[in-house]
Amino acid sequence: MKENILEGKKHIHFIGIGGSGMYPLAQILHAKGYYITGSDNNETETLDAVRKMGIPVFLGQCAENIEGADLIVHTAAIMPDNPELIASKASGVPVLERSDLLGLVTSWYNNAICVSGTHGKTTTTSMITQILHTQNIDISAFIGGKLPCIGGSGKSGSSDILVCEACEFVDTFLKLYPDTSVILNIDADHLDYFKTLDNIIASFRKFAEKTTKTLIVNADDANTMKAVDGITGKNIITFGTDSSCDYYPQNICRQGGAVTTYELMHKGEKLCDITLRVPGTHNIINSVAAAAAAHNAGADPEFIAKGLSEFGGAKRRFEIIGQKNGITVADDYAHHPAELSVTLSAAMQMGYKNVWAVFQPFTFSRTSILLDDFAAALSIPDKAVLTNIMGSREKNTYNIFTKDLADKIPGCIYFDKDKTAVQTNECKQEDFDRITDFLCANASSGDLIITLGCGDVYKVAKAVFEKL
């Protein structure tokens, strides 16, 4: 059990409360009776949701915002020269990075189910949560995306089960206290930090070794199996596509659109029939992993089937914004080449006349290091449209620009035709406006427009639908 830094604290202030890792923590701690305040730099739907909970939010970050707080939490994306963070560190009040607080929260539960992997964490965490919620188990949850059935991305329940997304970025998942860990896959990402794939695999091994009870691992993924090879003293459960796995799908039938059915098998015996309403082969595997974790946590087969059939996707995971004039508008969080490939391949199999993929590259380092992989993934759709790069926490020391990626994608559409544009940690509204106007003028009935990226490119999807 970790030392409880929350003991005696009443007022917790969140710097960057609108972040995907901050909002669920704020929900959980607000539900436990702490007084929460927060700040952020941009108005978002998440900030609206935070305010509706009765949490005061300051727009803009300055020293005055921390007044009265006896604990201050910030995201890893907050730069060292942020005036609110500087004031916090000078205040004498304890200051925590978000992952440290999440680690403490996971230590409160006797069955913390931590879902890791380079891709699919949010969807799989959401699926597990949906299944257990459907069975009326009063779980707690920490998800990197919003899930309608729990009214957000965080929930504080009365049971000893916590379902928690476990992110490998800068090794933050090593601060968690997992009882059960799911490892979906291991791929080359965050190479600005890890440097090599072998280092990433070694980090996942440390995560697996921290797990106290059960490992639920993807037997189809060679890197995952390498990470857990030789680990003893834990219950190891496998999932995958092959009948040699503990859990696997059988008689898969794609029924058109996003609907897929299959028989969920457990050690050679049929557990239940599954109807899945989110597209793509990758989501079949995610759902099998979720079923394995939920079943291990005590879910009955009938509720596994019911929960997955009612799962319509987490927010920003192939989320259908709407349809107008025969044009479907969707949004997805995919921001790594492997995620883009599976999402765009699924989109291309759904029967649309043209698939318009609008991608916002996120961080200069990832764009530079994986440039050719991004180009290959973005060559899958009929049309690729690029925004400027969203630098987030980085400065452009890589001298990388949208043009460098666009030049490698046949027929790519973008609006900064040279490298003179100053790219900062956020995209300019005029960039989004030009893309919105272009899409509305050129897309036609039967087409899909899908925005992709983990930044604020979702604003384009909303703007396109409104303009249509």
Side-chain angles (χ1 to χ4, degrees), residues 1-6 25 28 32 99-114 140 159-164 173-179 210 212-213:
M1 177 69 71
K2 195 170 185 177
E3 178 189 357
N4 189 358
I5 197 169
L6 288 171
L25 269 177
I28 291 169
K32 289 192 175 295
S99 58
D100 291 305
L101 182 57
L102 178 58
L104 172 63
V105 170
T106 61
S107 75
W108 297 343
Y109 296 85
N110 290 324
N111 191 9
I113 304 168
C114 296
S140 298
S159 76
D160 66 353
I161 298 175
L162 167 70
V163 186
C164 177
F173 64 171
L174 298 184
K175 296 178 180 178
L176 306 183
Y177 290 78
D179 299 293
K210 282 198 71 173
T212 61
K213 297 175 184 174

mmCIF file of all heavy atoms in Angstrom, residues 1-6 25 28 32 99-114 140 159-164 173-179 210 212-213:
data_model
loop_
_atom_site.group_PDB
_atom_site.id
_atom_site.type_symbol
_atom_site.label_atom_id
_atom_site.label_comp_id
_atom_site.label_asym_id
_atom_site.label_seq_id
_atom_site.Cartn_x
_atom_site.Cartn_y
_atom_site.Cartn_z
ATOM 1 N N MET A 1 0.847 -1.201 0.000
ATOM 2 C CA MET A 1 0.000 0.000 0.000
ATOM 3 C C MET A 1 0.878 1.245 0.000
ATOM 4 O O MET A 1 1.828 1.345 0.753
ATOM 5 C CB MET A 1 -0.919 -0.007 1.233
ATOM 6 C CG MET A 1 -1.799 1.242 1.362
ATOM 7 S SD MET A 1 -3.083 1.354 0.094
ATOM 8 C CE MET A 1 -4.183 0.055 0.624
ATOM 9 N N LYS A 2 0.541 2.162 -0.877
ATOM 10 C CA LYS A 2 1.317 3.386 -1.014
ATOM 11 C C LYS A 2 0.934 4.368 0.091
ATOM 12 O O LYS A 2 -0.199 4.394 0.564
ATOM 13 C CB LYS A 2 1.020 3.986 -2.392
ATOM 14 C CG LYS A 2 1.992 5.041 -2.851
ATOM 15 C CD LYS A 2 1.705 5.358 -4.311
ATOM 16 C CE LYS A 2 2.728 6.315 -4.857
ATOM 17 N NZ LYS A 2 2.532 6.583 -6.278
ATOM 18 N N GLU A 3 1.907 5.209 0.484
ATOM 19 C CA GLU A 3 1.612 6.257 1.459
ATOM 20 C C GLU A 3 0.487 7.137 0.921
ATOM 21 O O GLU A 3 0.495 7.557 -0.231
ATOM 22 C CB GLU A 3 2.865 7.114 1.680
ATOM 23 C CG GLU A 3 2.641 8.268 2.653
ATOM 24 C CD GLU A 3 3.823 9.235 2.682
ATOM 25 O OE1 GLU A 3 4.819 8.977 2.002
ATOM 26 O OE2 GLU A 3 3.701 10.243 3.391
ATOM 27 N N ASN A 4 -0.486 7.421 1.743
ATOM 28 C CA ASN A 4 -1.662 8.164 1.295
ATOM 29 C C ASN A 4 -1.428 9.665 1.439
ATOM 30 O O ASN A 4 -1.662 10.255 2.494
ATOM 31 C CB ASN A 4 -2.900 7.732 2.095
ATOM 32 C CG ASN A 4 -4.172 8.331 1.510
ATOM 33 O OD1 ASN A 4 -4.140 9.095 0.544
ATOM 34 N ND2 ASN A 4 -5.306 7.985 2.091
ATOM 35 N N ILE A 5 -0.967 10.282 0.370
ATOM 36 C CA ILE A 5 -0.692 11.714 0.392
ATOM 37 C C ILE A 5 -1.992 12.521 0.466
ATOM 38 O O ILE A 5 -1.988 13.710 0.764
ATOM 39 C CB ILE A 5 0.144 12.133 -0.843
ATOM 40 C CG1 ILE A 5 0.788 13.516 -0.611
ATOM 41 C CG2 ILE A 5 -0.700 12.119 -2.111
ATOM 42 C CD1 ILE A 5 1.818 13.907 -1.625
ATOM 43 N N LEU A 6 -3.128 11.851 0.226
ATOM 44 C CA LEU A 6 -4.423 12.537 0.300
ATOM 45 C C LEU A 6 -4.923 12.697 1.738
ATOM 46 O O LEU A 6 -5.877 13.444 1.975
ATOM 47 C CB LEU A 6 -5.473 11.773 -0.504
ATOM 48 C CG LEU A 6 -5.340 11.854 -2.032
ATOM 49 C CD1 LEU A 6 -6.293 10.884 -2.687
ATOM 50 C CD2 LEU A 6 -5.596 13.262 -2.521
ATOM 51 N N LEU A 25 -9.941 11.171 -13.072
ATOM 52 C CA LEU A 25 -9.478 11.306 -11.690
ATOM 53 C C LEU A 25 -10.306 12.336 -10.938
ATOM 54 O O LEU A 25 -10.663 12.134 -9.771
ATOM 55 C CB LEU A 25 -7.994 11.725 -11.667
ATOM 56 C CG LEU A 25 -6.954 10.610 -11.627
ATOM 57 C CD1 LEU A 25 -5.552 11.204 -11.677
ATOM 58 C CD2 LEU A 25 -7.113 9.739 -10.391
ATOM 59 N N ILE A 28 -13.607 10.718 -10.006
ATOM 60 C CA ILE A 28 -13.498 9.776 -8.893
ATOM 61 C C ILE A 28 -13.340 10.523 -7.566
ATOM 62 O O ILE A 28 -14.039 10.234 -6.576
ATOM 63 C CB ILE A 28 -12.308 8.815 -9.117
ATOM 64 C CG1 ILE A 28 -12.619 7.858 -10.286
ATOM 65 C CG2 ILE A 28 -12.003 8.012 -7.854
ATOM 66 C CD1 ILE A 28 -11.414 7.043 -10.752
ATOM 67 N N LYS A 32 -15.780 11.072 -4.160
ATOM 68 C CA LYS A 32 -15.352 10.674 -2.816
ATOM 69 C C LYS A 32 -15.384 11.837 -1.827
ATOM 70 O O LYS A 32 -14.970 11.691 -0.676
ATOM 71 C CB LYS A 32 -13.950 10.060 -2.878
ATOM 72 C CG LYS A 32 -13.954 8.679 -3.536
ATOM 73 C CD LYS A 32 -12.651 7.945 -3.333
ATOM 74 C CE LYS A 32 -12.724 6.534 -3.899
ATOM 75 N NZ LYS A 32 -13.690 5.652 -3.222
ATOM 76 N N SER A 99 0.080 10.827 -12.873
ATOM 77 C CA SER A 99 0.279 9.378 -12.783
ATOM 78 C C SER A 99 0.574 8.927 -11.351
ATOM 79 O O SER A 99 0.243 7.802 -10.971
ATOM 80 C CB SER A 99 1.402 8.933 -13.721
ATOM 81 O OG SER A 99 2.607 9.594 -13.409
ATOM 82 N N ASP A 100 1.185 9.809 -10.555
ATOM 83 C CA ASP A 100 1.437 9.453 -9.150
ATOM 84 C C ASP A 100 0.122 9.350 -8.376
ATOM 85 O O ASP A 100 -0.050 8.454 -7.540
ATOM 86 C CB ASP A 100 2.344 10.501 -8.496
ATOM 87 C CG ASP A 100 3.759 10.468 -9.056
ATOM 88 O OD1 ASP A 100 4.372 9.397 -9.035
ATOM 89 O OD2 ASP A 100 4.230 11.510 -9.522
ATOM 90 N N LEU A 101 -0.799 10.262 -8.652
ATOM 91 C CA LEU A 101 -2.098 10.222 -7.981
ATOM 92 C C LEU A 101 -2.897 9.003 -8.435
ATOM 93 O O LEU A 101 -3.534 8.330 -7.615
ATOM 94 C CB LEU A 101 -2.873 11.513 -8.250
ATOM 95 C CG LEU A 101 -4.240 11.635 -7.569
ATOM 96 C CD1 LEU A 101 -4.124 11.483 -6.063
ATOM 97 C CD2 LEU A 101 -4.895 12.978 -7.925
ATOM 98 N N LEU A 102 -2.839 8.692 -9.737
ATOM 99 C CA LEU A 102 -3.540 7.508 -10.234
ATOM 100 C C LEU A 102 -2.972 6.247 -9.594
ATOM 101 O O LEU A 102 -3.719 5.332 -9.234
ATOM 102 C CB LEU A 102 -3.439 7.424 -11.759
ATOM 103 C CG LEU A 102 -4.108 6.200 -12.390
ATOM 104 C CD1 LEU A 102 -5.592 6.136 -12.050
ATOM 105 C CD2 LEU A 102 -3.902 6.190 -13.903
ATOM 106 N N GLY A 103 -1.655 6.190 -9.435
ATOM 107 C CA GLY A 103 -1.047 5.045 -8.766
ATOM 108 C C GLY A 103 -1.598 4.857 -7.369
ATOM 109 O O GLY A 103 -1.924 3.733 -6.957
ATOM 110 N N LEU A 104 -1.732 5.959 -6.637
ATOM 111 C CA LEU A 104 -2.308 5.888 -5.290
ATOM 112 C C LEU A 104 -3.729 5.350 -5.339
ATOM 113 O O LEU A 104 -4.106 4.474 -4.546
ATOM 114 C CB LEU A 104 -2.285 7.273 -4.650
ATOM 115 C CG LEU A 104 -3.022 7.416 -3.319
ATOM 116 C CD1 LEU A 104 -2.388 6.531 -2.252
ATOM 117 C CD2 LEU A 104 -3.044 8.864 -2.865
ATOM 118 N N VAL A 105 -4.537 5.837 -6.292
ATOM 119 C CA VAL A 105 -5.933 5.396 -6.397
ATOM 120 C C VAL A 105 -6.002 3.892 -6.678
ATOM 121 O O VAL A 105 -6.818 3.181 -6.081
ATOM 122 C CB VAL A 105 -6.666 6.209 -7.490
ATOM 123 C CG1 VAL A 105 -8.037 5.598 -7.796
ATOM 124 C CG2 VAL A 105 -6.835 7.662 -7.041
ATOM 125 N N THR A 106 -5.134 3.375 -7.552
ATOM 126 C CA THR A 106 -5.190 1.934 -7.849
ATOM 127 C C THR A 106 -4.849 1.088 -6.622
ATOM 128 O O THR A 106 -5.319 -0.043 -6.498
ATOM 129 C CB THR A 106 -4.239 1.550 -9.002
ATOM 130 O OG1 THR A 106 -2.888 1.850 -8.648
ATOM 131 C CG2 THR A 106 -4.602 2.260 -10.285
ATOM 132 N N SER A 107 -4.067 1.646 -5.700
ATOM 133 C CA SER A 107 -3.681 0.890 -4.504
ATOM 134 C C SER A 107 -4.836 0.719 -3.517
ATOM 135 O O SER A 107 -4.750 -0.089 -2.598
ATOM 136 C CB SER A 107 -2.500 1.579 -3.805
ATOM 137 O OG SER A 107 -2.902 2.746 -3.108
ATOM 138 N N TRP A 108 -5.924 1.457 -3.713
ATOM 139 C CA TRP A 108 -7.073 1.360 -2.809
ATOM 140 C C TRP A 108 -7.907 0.102 -3.049
ATOM 141 O O TRP A 108 -8.766 -0.227 -2.240
ATOM 142 C CB TRP A 108 -7.992 2.568 -2.978
ATOM 143 C CG TRP A 108 -7.391 3.892 -2.620
ATOM 144 C CD1 TRP A 108 -6.267 4.125 -1.885
ATOM 145 C CD2 TRP A 108 -7.903 5.178 -2.987
ATOM 146 N NE1 TRP A 108 -6.042 5.476 -1.780
ATOM 147 C CE2 TRP A 108 -7.030 6.150 -2.433
ATOM 148 C CE3 TRP A 108 -9.002 5.615 -3.716
ATOM 149 C CZ2 TRP A 108 -7.227 7.516 -2.596
ATOM 150 C CZ3 TRP A 108 -9.204 6.976 -3.886
ATOM 151 C CH2 TRP A 108 -8.333 7.908 -3.335
ATOM 152 N N TYR A 109 -7.730 -0.567 -4.194
ATOM 153 C CA TYR A 109 -8.640 -1.635 -4.609
ATOM 154 C C TYR A 109 -7.956 -2.999 -4.527
ATOM 155 O O TYR A 109 -6.766 -3.133 -4.824
ATOM 156 C CB TYR A 109 -9.129 -1.380 -6.041
ATOM 157 C CG TYR A 109 -9.940 -0.117 -6.147
ATOM 158 C CD1 TYR A 109 -9.317 1.118 -6.334
ATOM 159 C CD2 TYR A 109 -11.323 -0.133 -6.017
ATOM 160 C CE1 TYR A 109 -10.053 2.294 -6.408
ATOM 161 C CE2 TYR A 109 -12.072 1.036 -6.094
ATOM 162 C CZ TYR A 109 -11.433 2.247 -6.279
ATOM 163 O OH TYR A 109 -12.160 3.416 -6.347
ATOM 164 N N ASN A 110 -8.728 -4.023 -4.144
ATOM 165 C CA ASN A 110 -8.205 -5.387 -4.070
ATOM 166 C C ASN A 110 -8.189 -6.074 -5.428
ATOM 167 O O ASN A 110 -7.531 -7.101 -5.596
ATOM 168 C CB ASN A 110 -9.040 -6.228 -3.100
ATOM 169 C CG ASN A 110 -8.829 -5.795 -1.660
ATOM 170 O OD1 ASN A 110 -7.726 -5.421 -1.283
ATOM 171 N ND2 ASN A 110 -9.886 -5.838 -0.870
ATOM 172 N N ASN A 111 -8.936 -5.547 -6.369
ATOM 173 C CA ASN A 111 -8.909 -6.091 -7.732
ATOM 174 C C ASN A 111 -8.849 -4.939 -8.728
ATOM 175 O O ASN A 111 -9.858 -4.565 -9.319
ATOM 176 C CB ASN A 111 -10.112 -6.992 -8.011
ATOM 177 C CG ASN A 111 -9.945 -7.757 -9.324
ATOM 178 O OD1 ASN A 111 -8.883 -7.741 -9.943
ATOM 179 N ND2 ASN A 111 -11.007 -8.420 -9.756
ATOM 180 N N ALA A 112 -7.649 -4.373 -8.871
ATOM 181 C CA ALA A 112 -7.421 -3.334 -9.880
ATOM 182 C C ALA A 112 -7.072 -4.027 -11.191
ATOM 183 O O ALA A 112 -6.037 -4.681 -11.310
ATOM 184 C CB ALA A 112 -6.291 -2.405 -9.444
ATOM 185 N N ILE A 113 -7.979 -3.901 -12.166
ATOM 186 C CA ILE A 113 -7.774 -4.490 -13.492
ATOM 187 C C ILE A 113 -7.178 -3.403 -14.373
ATOM 188 O O ILE A 113 -7.868 -2.445 -14.738
ATOM 189 C CB ILE A 113 -9.100 -5.000 -14.088
ATOM 190 C CG1 ILE A 113 -9.776 -5.991 -13.137
ATOM 191 C CG2 ILE A 113 -8.866 -5.632 -15.459
ATOM 192 C CD1 ILE A 113 -11.215 -6.318 -13.521
ATOM 193 N N CYS A 114 -5.905 -3.520 -14.701
ATOM 194 C CA CYS A 114 -5.192 -2.473 -15.439
ATOM 195 C C CYS A 114 -4.968 -2.934 -16.873
ATOM 196 O O CYS A 114 -4.349 -3.969 -17.113
ATOM 197 C CB CYS A 114 -3.870 -2.148 -14.754
ATOM 198 S SG CYS A 114 -4.094 -1.449 -13.092
ATOM 199 N N SER A 140 -15.463 0.804 -9.850
ATOM 200 C CA SER A 140 -14.846 2.094 -10.129
ATOM 201 C C SER A 140 -14.163 1.985 -11.487
ATOM 202 O O SER A 140 -13.824 0.878 -11.935
ATOM 203 C CB SER A 140 -13.830 2.462 -9.048
ATOM 204 O OG SER A 140 -14.464 2.584 -7.783
ATOM 205 N N SER A 159 -17.588 -1.414 -4.841
ATOM 206 C CA SER A 159 -16.966 -2.737 -4.864
ATOM 207 C C SER A 159 -15.444 -2.606 -4.811
ATOM 208 O O SER A 159 -14.895 -1.498 -4.867
ATOM 209 C CB SER A 159 -17.377 -3.502 -6.129
ATOM 210 O OG SER A 159 -16.675 -3.022 -7.259
ATOM 211 N N ASP A 160 -14.763 -3.762 -4.726
ATOM 212 C CA ASP A 160 -13.295 -3.734 -4.677
ATOM 213 C C ASP A 160 -12.681 -3.818 -6.072
ATOM 214 O O ASP A 160 -11.477 -4.031 -6.216
ATOM 215 C CB ASP A 160 -12.755 -4.868 -3.797
ATOM 216 C CG ASP A 160 -13.036 -6.251 -4.373
ATOM 217 O OD1 ASP A 160 -13.776 -6.339 -5.388
ATOM 218 O OD2 ASP A 160 -12.515 -7.240 -3.834
ATOM 219 N N ILE A 161 -13.503 -3.622 -7.125
ATOM 220 C CA ILE A 161 -13.011 -3.695 -8.507
ATOM 221 C C ILE A 161 -12.803 -2.293 -9.071
ATOM 222 O O ILE A 161 -13.703 -1.452 -9.035
ATOM 223 C CB ILE A 161 -13.987 -4.471 -9.408
ATOM 224 C CG1 ILE A 161 -14.131 -5.918 -8.920
ATOM 225 C CG2 ILE A 161 -13.515 -4.458 -10.860
ATOM 226 C CD1 ILE A 161 -15.178 -6.721 -9.683
ATOM 227 N N LEU A 162 -11.621 -2.051 -9.605
ATOM 228 C CA LEU A 162 -11.317 -0.844 -10.387
ATOM 229 C C LEU A 162 -10.878 -1.306 -11.768
ATOM 230 O O LEU A 162 -9.994 -2.156 -11.901
ATOM 231 C CB LEU A 162 -10.186 -0.039 -9.744
ATOM 232 C CG LEU A 162 -9.559 1.067 -10.609
ATOM 233 C CD1 LEU A 162 -10.530 2.224 -10.797
ATOM 234 C CD2 LEU A 162 -8.248 1.568 -10.002
ATOM 235 N N VAL A 163 -11.504 -0.767 -12.808
ATOM 236 C CA VAL A 163 -11.058 -1.009 -14.182
ATOM 237 C C VAL A 163 -10.313 0.242 -14.624
ATOM 238 O O VAL A 163 -10.877 1.341 -14.623
ATOM 239 C CB VAL A 163 -12.245 -1.295 -15.118
ATOM 240 C CG1 VAL A 163 -11.736 -1.680 -16.507
ATOM 241 C CG2 VAL A 163 -13.126 -2.406 -14.562
ATOM 242 N N CYS A 164 -9.045 0.087 -14.978
ATOM 243 C CA CYS A 164 -8.171 1.242 -15.151
ATOM 244 C C CYS A 164 -7.346 1.129 -16.423
ATOM 245 O O CYS A 164 -6.681 0.105 -16.649
ATOM 246 C CB CYS A 164 -7.254 1.358 -13.931
ATOM 247 S SG CYS A 164 -6.054 2.688 -14.022
ATOM 248 N N PHE A 173 2.704 3.664 -16.367
ATOM 249 C CA PHE A 173 1.986 2.493 -15.847
ATOM 250 C C PHE A 173 2.779 1.738 -14.775
ATOM 251 O O PHE A 173 2.218 0.924 -14.045
ATOM 252 C CB PHE A 173 1.518 1.557 -16.964
ATOM 253 C CG PHE A 173 2.567 0.885 -17.807
ATOM 254 C CD1 PHE A 173 2.199 -0.119 -18.700
ATOM 255 C CD2 PHE A 173 3.913 1.225 -17.753
ATOM 256 C CE1 PHE A 173 3.131 -0.771 -19.492
ATOM 257 C CE2 PHE A 173 4.853 0.590 -18.551
ATOM 258 C CZ PHE A 173 4.462 -0.401 -19.412
ATOM 259 N N LEU A 174 4.064 2.033 -14.651
ATOM 260 C CA LEU A 174 4.857 1.389 -13.604
ATOM 261 C C LEU A 174 4.573 1.985 -12.227
ATOM 262 O O LEU A 174 5.036 1.456 -11.212
ATOM 263 C CB LEU A 174 6.348 1.494 -13.937
ATOM 264 C CG LEU A 174 6.794 0.812 -15.232
ATOM 265 C CD1 LEU A 174 8.298 0.896 -15.394
ATOM 266 C CD2 LEU A 174 6.329 -0.651 -15.289
ATOM 267 N N LYS A 175 3.786 3.066 -12.186
ATOM 268 C CA LYS A 175 3.391 3.662 -10.909
ATOM 269 C C LYS A 175 2.089 3.056 -10.379
ATOM 270 O O LYS A 175 1.665 3.367 -9.269
ATOM 271 C CB LYS A 175 3.236 5.171 -11.067
ATOM 272 C CG LYS A 175 4.541 5.874 -11.433
ATOM 273 C CD LYS A 175 4.334 7.359 -11.640
ATOM 274 C CE LYS A 175 5.642 8.056 -12.002
ATOM 275 N NZ LYS A 175 5.464 9.502 -12.252
ATOM 276 N N LEU A 176 1.460 2.198 -11.186
ATOM 277 C CA LEU A 176 0.181 1.607 -10.788
ATOM 278 C C LEU A 176 0.400 0.369 -9.917
ATOM 279 O O LEU A 176 1.498 -0.175 -9.834
ATOM 280 C CB LEU A 176 -0.623 1.222 -12.027
ATOM 281 C CG LEU A 176 -0.855 2.322 -13.070
ATOM 282 C CD1 LEU A 176 -1.723 1.805 -14.210
ATOM 283 C CD2 LEU A 176 -1.484 3.557 -12.436
ATOM 284 N N TYR A 177 -0.696 -0.086 -9.278
ATOM 285 C CA TYR A 177 -0.681 -1.277 -8.434
ATOM 286 C C TYR A 177 -1.693 -2.279 -8.991
ATOM 287 O O TYR A 177 -2.776 -2.452 -8.447
ATOM 288 C CB TYR A 177 -1.000 -0.902 -6.991
ATOM 289 C CG TYR A 177 0.112 -0.127 -6.320
ATOM 290 C CD1 TYR A 177 0.292 1.223 -6.585
ATOM 291 C CD2 TYR A 177 1.002 -0.745 -5.440
ATOM 292 C CE1 TYR A 177 1.328 1.948 -5.995
ATOM 293 C CE2 TYR A 177 2.034 -0.035 -4.840
ATOM 294 C CZ TYR A 177 2.186 1.303 -5.120
ATOM 295 O OH TYR A 177 3.224 2.022 -4.542
ATOM 296 N N PRO A 178 -1.326 -2.957 -10.099
ATOM 297 C CA PRO A 178 -2.294 -3.855 -10.736
ATOM 298 C C PRO A 178 -2.407 -5.204 -10.037
ATOM 299 O O PRO A 178 -1.402 -5.808 -9.662
ATOM 300 C CB PRO A 178 -1.712 -4.022 -12.154
ATOM 301 C CG PRO A 178 -0.244 -3.796 -12.001
ATOM 302 C CD PRO A 178 -0.068 -2.849 -10.835
ATOM 303 N N ASP A 179 -3.632 -5.669 -9.861
ATOM 304 C CA ASP A 179 -3.881 -7.032 -9.405
ATOM 305 C C ASP A 179 -4.051 -7.950 -10.615
ATOM 306 O O ASP A 179 -3.550 -9.066 -10.641
ATOM 307 C CB ASP A 179 -5.121 -7.077 -8.520
ATOM 308 C CG ASP A 179 -4.953 -6.219 -7.281
ATOM 309 O OD1 ASP A 179 -4.116 -6.565 -6.438
ATOM 310 O OD2 ASP A 179 -5.634 -5.180 -7.172
ATOM 311 N N LYS A 210 4.959 -6.495 -11.877
ATOM 312 C CA LYS A 210 4.308 -5.774 -10.774
ATOM 313 C C LYS A 210 2.926 -6.331 -10.463
ATOM 314 O O LYS A 210 2.383 -6.101 -9.382
ATOM 315 C CB LYS A 210 4.160 -4.283 -11.114
ATOM 316 C CG LYS A 210 5.415 -3.457 -10.968
ATOM 317 C CD LYS A 210 5.080 -1.972 -10.896
ATOM 318 C CE LYS A 210 4.411 -1.626 -9.580
ATOM 319 N NZ LYS A 210 4.213 -0.189 -9.373
ATOM 320 N N THR A 212 -0.014 -8.567 -9.310
ATOM 321 C CA THR A 212 0.002 -9.476 -8.160
ATOM 322 C C THR A 212 -0.732 -10.797 -8.400
ATOM 323 O O THR A 212 -0.387 -11.805 -7.773
ATOM 324 C CB THR A 212 -0.624 -8.798 -6.928
ATOM 325 O OG1 THR A 212 -1.986 -8.454 -7.221
ATOM 326 C CG2 THR A 212 0.159 -7.554 -6.535
ATOM 327 N N LYS A 213 -1.731 -10.817 -9.298
ATOM 328 C CA LYS A 213 -2.563 -12.021 -9.409
ATOM 329 C C LYS A 213 -2.566 -12.628 -10.808
ATOM 330 O O LYS A 213 -2.109 -13.756 -11.007
ATOM 331 C CB LYS A 213 -4.001 -11.703 -8.980
ATOM 332 C CG LYS A 213 -4.144 -11.275 -7.520
ATOM 333 C CD LYS A 213 -5.580 -10.859 -7.211
ATOM 334 C CE LYS A 213 -5.708 -10.338 -5.781
ATOM 335 N NZ LYS A 213 -7.070 -9.785 -5.509
#
